[in-house]
C-alpha cells in the first residue's frame, strides 16, 4: 500500500499586523511553515528564504535518511540567513521559526525549531507532535508554572530557539508512522496561540474538505482577535488506490514568500525590486496582495519571471510569478494572503533618489535612539532584578535565598545564590514545599528573609511535635510494661503512674517524621 498526501494551505495577515511575515510551502514530499520575526529587520525575508531552502527537498527523490536530509536543509537555510546578514547588516535581527514535515510513503519526518506547531489528528484525537522552544514552555516543563499560566505570562512570546543566521541551528527531529485517514496540521502561533487544542480537534474532525477547513481555522483565529499573522497547512494521508480524491501533486507557496517573489519583477519584467528599498510599495498592496493601479505589478496579472539580480536581501531560490489562474509558470501554485483587514490609504510614489536622501538621516537617528533605549532599558531592568530576591531549593535539596528573578534568557540565568539557609526541602511543610519548588516569595531581601523565618518556625514546630509524641510513646510503652508485669505477679497497679494524655499530633502539612530522624515505630499508631 502506497500512501500519499492531499493538502491545502492558507495564510492571513490577521487583524493587528501591517504585513505578513509568515511563509509556507506544501508539496508532495514537503510541508513547511515559517514564522518570521524582526519586523523592519526583515522577518518576512527570513521566513521566505528559509522556506525556499527547505523547498529544495521537494524536488529530490526520497533518500535513505530523511532526518539527515532535514537537518542538512535547516543548516543550509541558517547559512543563507547568515550570508544575507553579512551582505546587508541592516537585516541583522531577523529570524524565523520552522516546522517542516518530509514525507516518504507513510513515514513523516518532522523538523521543528521555535513556537510554530505540528499536530496529528488520528481517530478523533489530536496529538501535538512538536514541542515549543519558548521560555514559558520551559517553565511548564520544570513545574514552575502550570499550562494555564502560559497565556498570561509576561514572557510568553520569548523564544529560546530560532533560525537567525547567528547561532547554530538546533532543531528537534522525529519520525512518525502514518495511517490512511491521518490528518496533519502545521501552523504558526497566530493560530495555535489563539485557538484552543479542543477547538482545533473539533474543527479538523468535523470538516472533511481541506480548503474549507483551512478557511475555517483562519476565521477562528480572526474571531479570536487575530493578534498575529495566521498560517496553516492541513494534509490528509490517503491511499490513492482507495481514496475518492487523488493526492495533491502541485506545490503551493503562501504568505510572505509569495509577496516577496512577486516583487522581484518590475512592471516591464526587466527590473527586480528590493523590499527594503520599496517599503512604500509593500504598504500599497491591496486587500488580496495585489498592487494599486500605479504601474506596479499585481500577482493576479501575468508577469514574466526574471533572473536573480543578486540582491543580498532577497531569497535567490524563489523565482515564482503568479499568473491569472494563480499558477506559476513552473507549476507552483501561489496563495496570496490578504494583507490587511483594514482599509489602506493609497500612497504617492516618490523618486528613489529623493526617498534615499530622506531615509538615511532618519534611519541613522532612529538607530542611535533605539540603541540608547535598549542599553538604558537593559541596565534599568538588570538593576531591578538585583533588588529582587526569592526562595527556592538547589539540586541538593537545600533551601536557598537567591538574588535576581527566577528566569533564563537564551540559557543564561538571571539569578544567583545569595544565602544558603539551614533548611532542608524535605523537612519543610508540604504546602511550603510546593511554593519553594516554583520559586517562592519574590520581593525585597527583608520580605524574603521573613518568609524563610516563618518556614523555619513551621519546620521547628513539626519537629517538636514529633519529638513530644516520641517521648510520650516511650513513657507509654514503659507504663504498659510495668502494668503487665504487675498483673503477671498478681500485684496492684495503683502505684504505677500513667504517662498522661497523648500530645496532639503533628499538623496535616508536616512531612513524615523520618525526615527528622524519628522512625514511625517510635510514635503512637497513626501519628507518623
Amino acid at each position: 500500500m502506497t500512501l500519499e498526501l492531499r493538502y491545502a494551505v492558507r495564510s492571513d495577515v490577521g487583524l493587528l499586523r501591517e504585513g505578513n511575515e509568515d511563509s509556507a510551502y506544501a508539496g508532495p514530499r514537503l510541508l513547511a511553515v515559517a514564522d518570521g520575526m524582526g519586523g523592519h529587520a526583515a522577518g518576512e525575508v527570513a521566513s521566505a528564504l528559509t522556506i525556499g531552502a527547505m523547498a529544495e527537498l521537494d524536488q529530490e527523490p526520497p533518500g535513505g535518511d530523511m532526518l539527515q536530509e532535514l537537518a542538512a536543509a535547516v543548516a543550509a537555510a541558517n547559512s543563507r540567513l547568515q550570508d544575507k546578514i553579512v551582505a546587508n547588516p541592516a537585516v541583522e535581527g531577523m529570524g524565523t521559526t520552522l516546522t517542516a514535515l518530509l514525507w516518504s510513503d507513510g513515514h513523516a519526518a518532522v523538523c521543528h525549531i521555535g513556537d510554530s506547531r505540528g499536530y496529528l489528528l488520528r481517530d478523533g484525537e489530536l496529538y501535538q507532535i512538536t514541542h515549543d522552544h519558548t521560555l514559558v514552555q520551559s517553565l511548564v516543563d520544570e513545574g514552575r508554572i502550570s499550562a494555564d499560566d502560559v497565556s498570561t505570562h509576561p514572557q510568553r512570546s520569548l523564544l529560546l530557539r530560532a533560525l537567525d543566521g547567528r547561532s547554530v541551528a538546533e532543531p528537534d527531529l522525529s519520525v512518525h508512522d502514518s495511517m490512511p485517514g491521518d490528518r496533519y496540521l502545521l501552523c504558526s502561533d497566530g493560530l495555535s496561540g489563539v485557538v484552543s487544542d479542543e477547538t482545533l480537534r473539533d474543527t479538523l474532525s468535523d470538516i472533511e474538505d481541506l480548503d474549507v477547513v483551512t478557511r475555517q481555522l483562519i476565521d477562528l483565529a480572526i474571531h479570536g482577535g487575530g493578534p498575529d499573522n495566521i498560517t496553516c497547512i492541513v494534509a490528509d494521508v490517503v491511499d490513492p488506490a482507495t481514496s475518492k480524491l487523488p493526492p495533491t501533486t502541485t506545490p503551493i507557496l503562501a504568505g510572505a514568500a509569495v509577496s516577496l517573489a512577486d516583487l522581484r519583477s518590475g512592471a516591464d519584467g526587466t527590473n527586480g525590486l528590493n523590499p527594503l528599498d520599496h517599503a512604500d510599495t509593500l504598504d500599497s498592496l491591496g486587500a488580496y496582495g495585489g498592487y494599486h493601479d500605479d504601474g506596479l505589478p499585481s500577482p493576479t496579472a501575468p508577469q514574466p519571471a526574471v533572473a536573480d539580480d543578486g540582491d543580498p536581501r532577497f531569497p535567490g531560490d524563489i523565482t515564482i510569478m503568479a499568473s491569472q489562474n494563480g499558477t506559476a509558470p513552473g507549476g507552483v501554485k501561489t496563495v496570496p494572503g490578504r494583507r490587511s483587514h483594514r482599509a489602506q490609504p493609497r500612497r504617492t510614489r516618490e523618486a528613489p533618489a529623493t526617498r534615499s536622501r530622506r531615509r538615511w538621516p532618519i534611519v541613522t537617528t532612529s538607530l542611535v535612539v533605539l540603541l540608547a533605549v535598549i542599553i538604558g532599558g537593559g541596565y534599568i531592568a538588570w538593576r531591578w532584578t538585583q533588588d529582587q530576591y526569592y526562595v527556592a531549593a538547589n539540586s541538593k535539596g537545600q533551601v536557598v535565598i537567591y538574588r535576581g528573578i527566577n528566569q533564563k534568557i537564551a540559557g543564561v540565568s538571571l539569578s544567583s545564590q545569595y544565602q544558603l539557609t539551614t533548611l532542608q526541602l524535605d523537612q519543610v511543610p508540604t504546602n511550603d514545599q510546593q511554593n519553594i519548588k516554583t520559586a517562592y516569595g519574590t520581593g525585597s531581601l527583608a520580605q524574603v528573609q521573613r518568609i524563610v523565618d516563618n518556614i523555619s518556625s513551621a519546620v521547628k514546630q513539626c519537629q517538636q511535635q514529633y519529638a513530644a509524641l516520641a517521648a510520650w510513646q516511650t513513657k507509654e510503652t514503659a507504663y504498659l510494661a510495668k502494668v503487665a508485669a504487675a498483673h503477671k505477679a498478681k500485684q496492684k497497679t495503683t502505684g504505677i503512674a500513667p504517662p498522661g494524655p497523648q500530645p496532639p499530633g503533628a499538623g496535616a502539612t508536616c512531612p513524615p517524621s523520618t525526615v527528622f530522624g524519628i522512625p514511625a515505630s517510635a510514635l503512637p499508631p497513626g501519628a507518623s
Side-chain angles (χ1 to χ4, degrees), residues 162-222:
L163 288 175
D164 58 11
R166 299 184 299 280
S167 56
V168 177
E170 299 180 66
D172 293 339
L173 299 170
S174 59
V175 177
H176 305 267
D177 292 330
S178 302
M179 301 167 52
D182 284 352
R183 172 169 279 189
Y184 287 98
L185 166 66
L186 271 58
C187 64
S188 62
D189 67 334
L191 176 62
S192 59
V194 177
V195 182
S196 69
D197 287 357
E198 292 77 9
T199 302
L200 291 176
R201 179 198 62 203
D202 294 343
T203 305
L204 291 168
S205 299
D206 295 343
I207 303 176
E208 182 177 358
D209 186 279
L210 290 169
D211 289 325
V212 176
V213 74
T214 53
R215 185 181 302 111
Q216 178 64 16
L217 291 172
I218 297 293
D219 289 344
L220 287 170
I222 293 295

Side-chain angles (χ1 to χ4, degrees), residues 295-335:
L296 293 174
S298 166
T300 60
Q303 296 292 330
V306 295
D308 189 352
D309 292 330
D311 184 345
R313 282 200 62 209
F314 222 80
D317 50 346
I318 302 181
T319 309
I320 300 171
M321 302 310 302
S323 64
Q324 286 179 330
N325 61 7
T327 303
V332 179
K333 184 178 179 182
T334 60
V335 181

Side-chain angles (χ1 to χ4, degrees), residues 2-351:
T2 300
L3 299 180
E4 299 183 43
L5 296 176
R6 181 171 178 78
Y7 47 80
V9 187
R10 193 167 291 272
S11 185
D12 195 284
V13 73
L15 293 176
L16 301 183
R17 303 291 188 185
E18 291 297 328
N20 195 346
E21 294 186 315
D22 287 358
S23 291
Y25 177 91
R29 284 199 68 219
L30 181 80
L31 311 175
V33 168
D35 180 356
M37 66 198 78
H40 293 296
E44 74 281 2
V45 173
S47 68
L49 183 59
T50 298
I51 287 298
M54 300 302 297
E56 294 179 3
L57 293 175
D58 200 35
Q59 310 303 319
E60 302 173 0
D65 190 339
M66 293 193 293
L67 293 183
Q68 183 60 38
E69 290 184 70
L70 281 170
V74 170
N78 203 40
S79 179
R80 293 184 190 182
L81 292 180
Q82 184 180 38
D83 291 343
K84 299 303 178 187
I85 292 171
V86 170
N88 188 348
V91 302
E92 185 170 10
M94 71 176 179
T96 183
T97 69
L98 174 66
T99 300
L101 183 153
L102 186 61
W103 179 262
S104 179
D105 192 18
H107 302 288
V110 175
C111 164
H112 171 73
I113 186 167
D115 63 351
S116 297
R117 286 187 179 178
Y119 294 91
L120 167 64
L121 179 74
R122 174 177 290 175
D123 297 329
E125 294 297 326
L126 186 67
Y127 305 92
Q128 184 178 334
I129 58 175
T130 58
H131 193 73
D132 293 351
H133 297 143
T134 58
L135 173 64
V136 290
Q137 184 60 55
S138 70
L139 296 178
V140 172
D141 295 341
E142 295 169 5
R144 297 184 179 182
I145 64 173
S146 69
D148 295 334
D149 298 327
V150 170
S151 61
T152 57
H153 196 280
Q155 278 83 40
R156 59 186 176 276
S157 300
L158 184 60
L159 288 178
L160 300 183
R161 279 197 252 171
L163 288 175
D164 58 11
R166 299 184 299 280
S167 56
V168 177
E170 299 180 66
D172 293 339
L173 299 170
S174 59
V175 177
H176 305 267
D177 292 330
S178 302
M179 301 167 52
D182 284 352
R183 172 169 279 189
Y184 287 98
L185 166 66
L186 271 58
C187 64
S188 62
D189 67 334
L191 176 62
S192 59
V194 177
V195 182
S196 69
D197 287 357
E198 292 77 9
T199 302
L200 291 176
R201 179 198 62 203
D202 294 343
T203 305
L204 291 168
S205 299
D206 295 343
I207 303 176
E208 182 177 358
D209 186 279
L210 290 169
D211 289 325
V212 176
V213 74
T214 53
R215 185 181 302 111
Q216 178 64 16
L217 291 172
I218 297 293
D219 289 344
L220 287 170
I222 293 295
H223 293 156
D228 202 351
N229 305 146
I230 313 154
T231 299
C232 63
I233 301 173
V234 180
D236 288 341
V237 178
V238 299
D239 180 359
T242 59
S243 176
K244 296 179 182 179
L245 296 173
T248 312
T249 58
T250 303
I252 305 174
L253 193 67
V258 175
S259 298
L260 291 181
D262 288 344
L263 281 176
R264 299 188 62 190
S265 176
D268 59 358
T270 60
N271 64 307
L273 295 179
N274 184 336
L276 268 184
D277 294 336
H278 296 272
D280 56 338
T281 299
L282 282 172
D283 287 338
S284 68
L285 286 167
Y288 293 92
Y291 297 94
H292 291 300
D293 52 352
D294 55 3
L296 293 174
S298 166
T300 60
Q303 296 292 330
V306 295
D308 189 352
D309 292 330
D311 184 345
R313 282 200 62 209
F314 222 80
D317 50 346
I318 302 181
T319 309
I320 300 171
M321 302 310 302
S323 64
Q324 286 179 330
N325 61 7
T327 303
V332 179
K333 184 178 179 182
T334 60
V335 181
R338 285 175 289 180
R339 174 160 175 77
S340 175
H341 294 264
R342 297 170 290 178
Q344 297 290 332
R346 181 179 300 182
R347 293 190 172 99
T348 302
R349 300 181 67 204
E350 299 179 78

